[in-house]
Amino acid sequence: MTTNKDRNRSQKPIDQPGYVNQMPAFHSQIYPITGVPQPNEYVTHLDPVFVQHLSRHQGQEIALMTTAGRIEGLNAGVAVDHIQINVEDRSLHIRISQIIYFEGPLASYRE
């Protein structure tokens, strides 16, 4: 039996332009497509050491200072381009490029 909570978590259609030869078709109508987005290429700047430091604090409470302000919560996951912070009843997905610094429990980076 599907509950309202399950329906809210289901994947929603993604609005995106039509593609021709894996390129967005110019002047094409934008329409919703269910499921995984069509292939697309994007570029992200990566700070590998900073991402590694964030990764060492997965599952721990941390505080982030972002360009929009301070956020405190559980570091639920780190990806190449963003971090997921769980705050009470919601998840925040923050671009790593928007993080100025973070605070976490004491850690040693020497093994």
Side-chain angles (χ1 to χ4, degrees), residues 49-102:
V49 175
F50 190 69
V51 172
Q52 180 187 29
H53 286 263
L54 282 168
S55 296
R56 288 177 182 245
H57 292 282
Q58 285 191 65
Q60 299 176 348
E61 294 287 329
I62 66 170
L64 299 173
M65 179 57 74
T66 71
T67 56
R70 185 178 171 94
I71 299 167
E72 295 182 28
L74 179 74
N75 179 350
V78 178
V80 173
D81 60 347
H82 75 282
I83 181 172
Q84 178 182 335
I85 300 293
N86 290 346
V87 180
E88 295 177 13
D89 63 340
R90 62 186 187 211
S91 294
L92 304 174
H93 298 265
I94 302 157
R95 292 178 188 226
I96 290 176
S97 62
Q98 300 301 308
I99 299 172
I100 300 167
Y101 67 86
F102 76 95

